[in-house]
């Protein structure tokens, strides 16, 4: 089997797939596409993904984009074990219910907060005025509250399968790491904090490996704040 993963570890779904493939001991080749260097706009990468985004997989010559589509495909190909992506119809439907929800549920709002608070000032020298930034933070907190109360805190350790994590948990955990680079820690929500620790523990040491760049950014940011 030949499997390549085109990714950038600053990208949430890229990290999720990288950590997943590492944790299941999949023999894959990571091919890093550095977004900050605009490598995703290169002719070489554009020939692989016309949408110029990561992640992308190349499985024996079959190229596929979009993280959720990739997860579903890898499950059907029996690359992801059933424990992480259930085969049983109803459990699988619950996992996919979350995968559908998370795009606009937490990904959109966590990513936008990260972008306007951290990324835009660096890349575009653009800083939002406080009232507008507060709006992004408020929308993110509403999304986190919904995740904390309606997906977690229901008497189970994880989002879908009770005492066992699935790809849904890993995808969500990686999304929640993003606003930490902008100085916001979703662990302030009680259910998120407890669940997040369990997800990290389950997927370590690969969870930490996948987040090594982000943790360096967070550490650097915390030093800057402490000096202010």
């Amino acid at each position: 089997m030949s499997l390549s993963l085109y990714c950038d570890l600053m990208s949430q779904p890229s990290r999720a797939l990288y950590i997943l493939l590492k944790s299941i001991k999949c023999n894959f080749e990571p091919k890093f596409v550095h977004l900050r260097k605009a490598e995703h706009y290169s002719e070489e990468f554009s020939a692989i993904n016309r949408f110029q985004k990561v992640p992308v997989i190349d499985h024996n010559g079959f190229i596929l984009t979009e993280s959720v589509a990739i997860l579903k495909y890898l499950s059907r190909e029996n690359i992801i074990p059933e424990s992480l992506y259930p085969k049983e119809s109803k459990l699988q439907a619950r996992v996919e219910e979350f995968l559908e929800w998370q795009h606009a549920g937490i990904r959109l709002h966590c990513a936008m907060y990260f972008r306007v608070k951290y990324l835009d000032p660096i890349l575009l020298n653009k800083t939002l005025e406080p009232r507008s930034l507060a709006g992004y933070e408020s929308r993110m907190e509403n999304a986190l509250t919904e995740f904390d109360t309606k997906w977690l805190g229901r008497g189970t350790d994880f989002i879908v399968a009770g005492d066992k994590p699935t790809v849904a948990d890993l995808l969500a955990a990686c999304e929640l790491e993003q606003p930490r680079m902008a100085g916001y820690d979703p662990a302030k929500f009680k259910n998120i904090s407890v669940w997040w620790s369990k997800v990290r523990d389950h997927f370590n040491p690969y969870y930490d490996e996948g987040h090594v760049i982000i943790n360096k950014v967070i550490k650097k940011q915390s030093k800057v704040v402490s000096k202010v």
Side-chain angles (χ1 to χ4, degrees), residues 51-173:
F51 299 111
Q52 302 173 317
K53 295 179 180 180
V54 291
V56 182
I57 61 166
D58 181 343
H59 182 220
N60 297 326
F62 177 68
I63 295 174
L64 185 64
T65 70
E66 298 297 327
S67 56
V68 172
I70 292 169
L71 288 169
K72 291 179 179 181
Y73 171 77
L74 294 177
S75 172
R76 291 194 302 272
E77 292 293 302
N78 296 314
I79 294 173
I80 302 177
E82 189 172 356
S83 59
L84 290 171
Y85 203 119
K87 299 288 188 185
E88 193 276 323
S89 179
K90 290 183 174 60
L91 269 180
Q92 185 179 103
R94 289 301 184 201
V95 168
E96 293 177 353
E97 179 183 32
F98 180 81
L99 297 182
E100 295 289 346
W101 176 86
Q102 61 92 27
H103 284 292
I106 54 175
R107 174 170 172 73
L108 171 65
H109 300 293
C110 288
M112 285 304 299
Y113 179 81
F114 162 72
R115 177 176 174 174
V116 300
K117 177 77 181 295
Y118 176 81
L119 208 56
D120 283 354
I122 293 174
L123 298 182
L124 306 176
N125 196 28
K126 177 183 177 182
T127 303
L128 280 183
E129 56 95 15
R131 183 176 178 181
S132 181
L133 181 60
Y136 282 101
E137 182 170 340
S138 176
R139 288 187 288 275
M140 180 179 68
E141 289 201 319
N142 288 339
L144 291 172
T145 297
E146 189 170 38
F147 178 60
D148 185 75
T149 58
K150 296 184 179 180
W151 288 101
L152 304 177
R154 298 179 298 160
T156 61
D157 290 337
F158 299 101
I159 294 172
V160 174
D163 61 346
K164 295 179 180 179
T166 66
V167 295
D169 296 280
L170 181 56
L171 210 63

Side-chain angles (χ1 to χ4, degrees), residues 199-209:
V199 176
R200 287 170 173 151
D201 287 346
H202 181 86
F203 288 100
N204 261 330
Y206 306 109
Y207 190 94
D208 287 344
E209 180 182 328

Side-chain angles (χ1 to χ4, degrees), residues 118 176-185 200 211-225:
Y118 176 81
L176 267 58
E177 295 284 354
Q178 212 72 356
R180 293 181 63 227
M181 288 186 284
Y184 186 98
D185 190 355
R200 287 170 173 151
H211 286 90
V212 65
I213 297 174
I214 311 192
N215 287 329
K216 285 181 180 178
V217 171
I218 293 167
K219 187 175 181 180
K220 183 178 179 181
Q221 289 293 99
S222 64
K223 286 182 179 179
V224 171
V225 172

